[in-house]
Amino acid sequence: MRQIVRWGVVIAALLVLIGLSLSGMLASLDRRLGDWRLSLVPTQPSGTTVVVEIDSKSLAEVGVWPWPRTMHASLLDRLMEAGVEDVAFDIDFSSASDDWADAQFTAALERAGGYAYLAAFGQDDGAGGTSFTRPLPQFAEQADPVLVNVLLDPTNARVHSLPMSATDAFGEVPSLALELARPEFPVPPVVEIDFSIDLSRLARLSYTDVLYGRIDPAFLAGKQVIVGAGAIELRDFFNTPLHGILSGPIVQATAVETLKAGRILSNWGHLPGLLLTSFGALILLLTRRSSIAFTGLALLVSAPLTEALALFAYAKLDLIVHSASMHVGLLLLFGLALADDGYSQLLGRRAALRRLRFLATHDAPTGLYSRQGLLDRPSSTHPQMVIALQPQGTDELRATLGHDVVERLLVQFAHRLEHAGFPSLARIAPSTFALAGDDNGDADHLSKKAVYITRELSGIYHVDEHRLYVEIIAGYAAGPFDLPELINQAETALVQARANRTNVHGFSPADHAAMERHRRLDRDLRGAIAGGQLRLLYQPQIALRTRKLVGAETLMRWDHPELGLISPAEFIPLAEETGLIIDLGRWILEEACLEASRWPDSMVVAVNVSPIQFQHSDLVAVVTEALRRSGLPPERLELEITESSRVTDPRLVSTTMWSLQRLGVRLSVDDFGTGYSSLIYFRDLPFDTVKIDQSFVRDRSSPDAEALLAAIIELARRMRKHTVAEGIEDEATAALLERQGCTYGQGYYFSRPVPVEQLLQMLELETKTPARA
Ligand code: C2E
Ligand code: MG
Ligand code: MG
């Protein structure tokens, strides 16, 4: 559409330009440019044409007017005597004067023997033909008539050309120029006068100087003479290019010189200018928007270029070109380009404004509402509900695969959400989304809906070449609250879901307190290491057959000065979320290794390692350093790794594990059987030990549960891996596991997690009591 308008405007501009050119409104500019061009390439006259002027001096000398024709007779005689070639009178002899004088002149003409010519003026007879003001018949019998008409440019009333002949009822009359110059080449019916001829070099004589013999006849010999009125008072004047006002005979002499020089000029008028402008317009229309400065420069350069071309055309190609239309055309085009540019900028500003408005209420990458956009929606009078959704593991992904991959993942997630057809979707935080809608008061329905969404949207996402398993968790809230409050509640519920390691959590007022506590712990954890509030407990691990102490698992405790003892189950996920687990993990490894280096050589220390540590720190270097500092042999360190959904880059975990194995460190799967990963994962990684999760150990309610336990132990045995049963709380369980072939046991039955001093006491005690056979 825009393009059509552009074409329309340019065509209109070209039409205006044509109108300007044809109406003569550009004439003044053309006149100046044309004159300037003529002045640059002056042409020398032939020197064979002489103008004898009835000038003011002659008029003064003679004293009367009109002159008796006897004077013309004498002049003619004198010229013929001097041996001139031709004499053409640009004087009106169409009416009779006194008979005697006319007879004298007739005689002189006769004496001239056909080398004298008399002016004839053609004019419209008003009936479509031409009538001539011819010389009197008695003169015409002796001297041929020559046409002295010139043609004026209608736009500026300046002489520019003359017809080479004209015909009336009495026959054809050739022009004075044609008669005197007698060109040997074909001449067009109308000839452009070449006003570049240097008229200062044209020989001009005073009538009376010639008449009274004051001119050397030798000068006149062989010349062609034009006699005519040169004095202002005689009013035989024309406006001409470059030279301004010229008398009739001078104009005729210039025409004669034009033909003598053999210069037939073609007048192309405005055509080249219009064509060039059209061409420029075409370029402007077809090129995609270039800078206005460039367009300006191009147009600026084309102005002198046009003039140079016009000059070249005139000097070398004998072409007369009116360049004003080109210049005006260029200006017009520049104006249009400016307007076009201005319009584009206006459109650009409008688009930017629209985008700004969009961005104020939307999230650009996903196109969903922003938090503010969701709040700004026209509010519903119904009670509202909000479900907050969060893909898990995005922080780890951001660290391992980069921001762009995560952004694309989130955009994909947003699109899936949209496809599911939920209205009023928003991205309320970098990786938190929300959907809002009317609440029908059915809490069960809302919970089912949240569960449905997390199930539908959890799964594999393909981003670039990555195949990512993403788990979605949800927090929801509903009730007689305004939208901002509901959004806050849903977010609180989301945090709670994450802390509880559940997928969906509905907001309850207790969550606020939990949230507060969560925030508090989050804030205080960093200072806890430095403040010495963290300490390590050790829970003994027993060889089930001999019931001897073979090692201990390091378990962290936080003595919060105000909140009391805080479980690692609560603060470890927090440390994982904030990344503090990296520093914390390093500290535990160093402490545990140092402690264990003082134990008997048979004792292994087990340390829990979070999956985050695998992905964000150089775990191999950290472990190597801890071993080096403590002097603990690597085979006495066992790292416990839980199977986790938070593993976003299994390849990295795998390489690290193999490096640790090469180091000689032992590896165990913690909480085996509850995790997310497949048995293939388990098979392909270099684990030495399987820690059977407490839930399998403690729940022996059915024969099936026992069978499952037995199967896990058998599986590990076949894979040549040790088994550690966690959570043994009584002898019966210990005995059962022993029977089933489980290697080691750990649990309250043997000992709760204890400070290191207590562990050492137990060791001491053990060395004093004999082991079971
Ligand atoms: P886990 O590694 O599976 O540790 C075993 C948990 O079971 C410990 O809880 C321990 O106190 C408890 N437990 C041991 N025997 C019994 C029993 O007979 N009955 C019952 N009911 N529980 C028993 P704790 O110390 O609260 O630790 C919880 C979890 O916190 C650990 O589970 C581990 O995943 C994590 N954790 C603890 N310390 C650290 C640490 O230093 N680093 C890391 N990354 N995680 C740690
Ligand atoms: Mg453990
Ligand atoms: Mg465990």
Side-chain angles (χ1 to χ4, degrees):
M1 180 60 197
R2 173 98 193 272
Q3 205 57 5
I4 295 174
V5 173
R6 288 173 95 207
W7 278 88
V9 169
V10 167
I11 289 169
L14 287 177
L15 289 176
V16 166
L17 185 64
I18 292 172
L20 285 177
S21 309
L22 296 185
S23 69
M25 287 172 91
L26 306 180
S28 166
L29 181 59
D30 258 326
R31 203 160 55 218
R32 273 167 227 274
L33 289 171
D35 290 358
W36 172 71
R37 222 171 287 138
L38 292 178
S39 70
L40 289 181
V41 283
T43 311
Q44 295 312 313
S46 66
T48 57
T49 310
V50 174
V51 178
V52 173
E53 286 179 290
I54 304 172
D55 52 7
S56 304
K57 186 185 127 195
S58 306
L59 287 177
E61 205 170 343
V62 175
V64 294
W65 185 263
W67 289 348
R69 284 190 178 146
T70 49
M71 279 180 67
H72 298 316
S74 305
L75 180 85
L76 183 56
D77 283 340
R78 208 173 259 291
L79 288 170
M80 295 321 285
E81 278 159 25
V84 301
E85 211 161 274
D86 302 284
V87 179
F89 283 94
D90 184 10
I91 293 171
D92 181 11
F93 290 113
S94 61
S95 48
S97 64
D98 71 278
D99 289 347
W100 184 78
D102 285 351
Q104 290 292 306
F105 187 55
T106 308
L109 290 173
E110 193 180 353
R111 281 192 294 279
Y115 292 106
Y117 305 91
L118 301 179
F121 305 90
Q123 55 199 8
D124 270 352
D125 60 5
T130 315
S131 76
F132 284 113
T133 310
R134 286 172 177 263
L136 290 175
Q138 65 263 38
F139 299 154
E141 255 170 49
Q142 304 304 329
D144 289 338
V146 285
L147 194 69
V148 291
N149 282 61
V150 289
L151 296 175
L152 303 184
D153 184 333
T155 64
N156 56 20
R158 299 206 303 185
V159 174
H160 65 97
S161 61
L162 72 175
M164 285 294 103
S165 68
T167 309
D168 71 355
F170 301 99
E172 190 186 15
V173 178
S175 72
L176 184 153
L178 191 65
E179 195 59 57
L180 292 199
R182 290 181 205 107
E184 283 165 2
F185 48 87
V187 173
V190 172
V191 166
E192 294 288 332
I193 302 172
D194 182 4
F195 283 102
S196 74
I197 289 167
D198 185 358
L199 294 183
S200 66
R201 304 249 177 150
L202 185 73
R204 298 166 72 163
L205 305 174
S206 264
Y207 191 101
T208 46
D209 284 350
V210 180
L211 184 66
Y212 300 141
R214 292 194 288 260
I215 300 296
D216 180 3
F219 172 77
L220 293 167
K223 301 277 163 56
Q224 295 184 300
V225 178
I226 299 167
V227 183
I232 294 278
E233 358 353 6
L234 302 180
R235 294 163 202 257
D236 182 13
F237 281 100
F238 295 98
N239 195 356
T240 66
L242 184 60
H243 309 286
I245 303 293
L246 289 181
S247 67
I250 298 289
V251 172
Q252 292 298 329
T254 313
V256 171
E257 283 298 321
T258 300
L259 288 181
K260 282 186 180 170
R263 194 141 188 237
I264 302 300
L265 293 161
S266 311
N267 190 343
W268 283 22
H270 293 292
L271 191 65
L274 293 175
L275 286 178
L276 274 172
T277 308
S278 308
F279 181 65
L282 205 65
I283 289 181
L284 210 69
L285 283 172
L286 294 184
T287 47
R288 292 306 318 140
R289 275 174 21 84
S290 49
S291 84
I292 203 72
F294 176 78
T295 313
L297 197 71
L299 295 180
L300 220 62
V301 168
S302 42
L305 204 68
T306 309
E307 269 320 301
L309 277 176
L311 187 64
F312 178 79
Y314 181 72
K316 299 288 172 201
L317 308 176
D318 296 341
L319 298 179
I320 296 171
V321 168
H322 292 178
S323 57
S325 45
M326 176 71 189
H327 295 296
V328 172
L330 287 178
L331 274 178
L332 221 58
L333 288 186
F334 185 61
L336 289 182
L338 262 181
D340 192 39
D341 188 62
Y343 185 61
S344 294
Q345 281 186 11
L346 189 76
L347 286 186
R349 269 203 294 280
R350 270 200 207 148
L353 204 67
R354 265 203 304 278
R355 174 124 189 99
L356 221 62
R357 280 206 197 108
F358 177 81
L359 287 180
T361 51
H362 288 78
D363 170 60
T366 58
L368 303 183
Y369 280 123
S370 62
R371 192 185 194 98
Q372 193 55 44
L374 188 65
L375 294 177
D376 288 351
R377 266 178 346 140
S379 59
S380 162
T381 48
H382 291 279
Q384 298 273 292
M385 65 88 191
V386 171
I387 303 177
L389 296 162
Q390 198 173 56
Q392 295 301 281
T394 51
D395 287 347
E396 288 79 48
L397 283 174
R398 227 180 271 279
T400 51
L401 302 181
H403 175 79
D404 288 352
V405 171
V406 174
E407 227 15 58
R408 280 201 284 281
L409 168 73
L410 293 176
V411 167
Q412 235 184 73
F413 170 74
H415 288 170
R416 287 197 196 178
L417 204 56
E418 269 185 309
H419 270 290
F422 296 110
S424 300
L425 295 171
R427 186 180 185 178
I428 54 174
S431 50
T432 311
F433 296 79
L435 62 95
D438 289 344
D439 174 36
N440 60 6
D442 183 350
D444 191 41
H445 177 256
L446 184 54
S447 153
K448 278 188 181 142
K449 188 169 176 169
V451 169
Y452 170 77
I453 295 172
T454 54
R455 288 224 182 109
E456 281 299 300
L457 296 180
S458 293
I460 305 291
Y461 285 74
H462 292 271
V463 183
D464 301 341
E465 75 279 10
H466 306 287
R467 194 169 171 274
L468 307 170
Y469 176 81
V470 178
E471 198 188 8
I472 311 298
I473 63 168
Y476 61 87
F481 305 100
D482 58 8
L483 199 55
E485 176 57 26
L486 280 178
I487 293 176
N488 284 340
Q489 291 182 358
E491 279 182 303
T492 304
L494 194 63
V495 172
Q496 227 31 62
R498 200 168 49 226
N500 301 349
R501 294 183 188 262
T502 56
N503 282 34
V504 174
H505 185 87
F507 176 81
S508 76
D511 290 342
H512 259 317
M515 178 88 166
E516 275 312 308
R517 181 179 164 89
H518 184 89
R519 288 211 183 106
R520 176 85 192 269
L521 294 184
D522 193 23
R523 240 190 353 256
D524 296 349
L525 188 55
R526 194 163 285 278
I529 311 177
Q533 296 165 16
L534 295 178
R535 55 196 170 85
L536 296 179
L537 296 188
Y538 298 88
Q539 186 173 34
Q541 293 180 335
I542 307 294
L544 283 177
R545 206 174 52 76
T546 62
R547 300 296 169 98
K548 266 195 156 295
L549 229 163
V550 290
E553 179 182 3
T554 317
L555 293 163
M556 177 112 63
R557 292 293 175 265
W558 180 7
D559 266 328
H560 192 285
E562 283 153 37
L563 302 175
L565 202 64
I566 294 158
S567 161
E570 187 176 5
F571 72 82
I572 292 290
L574 208 69
E576 286 179 335
E577 249 170 58
T578 56
L580 199 64
I581 191 72
I582 308 281
D583 290 339
L584 211 54
R586 188 184 301 117
W587 177 78
I588 297 160
L589 268 166
E590 296 202 334
E591 282 284 300
C593 288
L594 207 63
E595 212 56 78
S597 65
R598 300 187 197 114
W599 301 348
D601 288 349
S602 58
M603 286 279 286
V604 170
V605 66
V607 175
N608 291 288
V609 176
S610 159
I612 308 293
Q613 286 172 267
F614 276 86
Q615 301 186 91
H616 292 266
S617 72
D618 190 355
L619 189 59
V620 182
V622 172
V623 169
T624 311
E625 179 62 13
L627 290 173
R628 190 192 63 76
R629 279 209 196 174
S630 60
L632 186 75
E635 65 277 7
R636 287 183 54 205
L637 174 63
E638 184 162 78
L639 300 181
E640 292 189 8
I641 300 126
T642 42
E643 306 171 83
S644 170
S645 65
R646 307 191 72 145
V647 172
T648 49
D649 191 353
R651 259 180 321 182
L652 183 66
V653 174
S654 163
T655 3
T656 310
M657 279 200 186
W658 282 103
S659 304
L660 290 169
Q661 198 248 7
R662 274 195 296 279
L663 215 62
V665 170
R666 299 160 60 124
L667 299 168
S668 77
V669 215
D670 204 349
D671 303 340
F672 183 78
T674 60
Y676 302 80
S677 51
S678 66
L679 285 172
I680 293 182
Y681 174 70
F682 174 57
R683 181 196 66 189
D684 292 345
L685 291 173
F687 289 113
D688 301 281
T689 310
V690 176
K691 288 195 80 174
I692 305 165
D693 191 66
Q694 312 189 9
S695 51
F696 297 102
V697 176
R698 297 219 298 273
D699 173 24
R700 297 205 322 283
S701 50
S702 68
D704 280 355
E706 267 189 42
L708 189 60
L709 196 57
I712 295 174
I713 295 167
E714 178 59 15
L715 176 76
R717 196 184 62 77
R718 288 215 182 178
M719 291 173 88
R720 289 177 302 282
K721 298 189 194 302
H722 295 292
T723 33
V724 180
E726 289 187 277
I728 301 177
E729 295 187 347
D730 51 45
E731 173 52 37
T733 311
L736 173 76
L737 286 161
E738 186 194 342
R739 269 202 310 283
Q740 284 177 333
C742 180
T743 340
Y744 306 112
Q746 181 184 344
Y748 293 172
Y749 173 61
F750 300 112
S751 165
R752 287 186 175 254
V754 293
V756 69
E757 301 78 32
Q758 225 170 308
L759 180 76
L760 293 174
Q761 276 172 18
M762 286 167 77
L763 269 169
E764 219 172 289
L765 208 71
E766 191 172 76
T767 44
K768 288 179 191 151
T769 43
R772 238 171 51 160

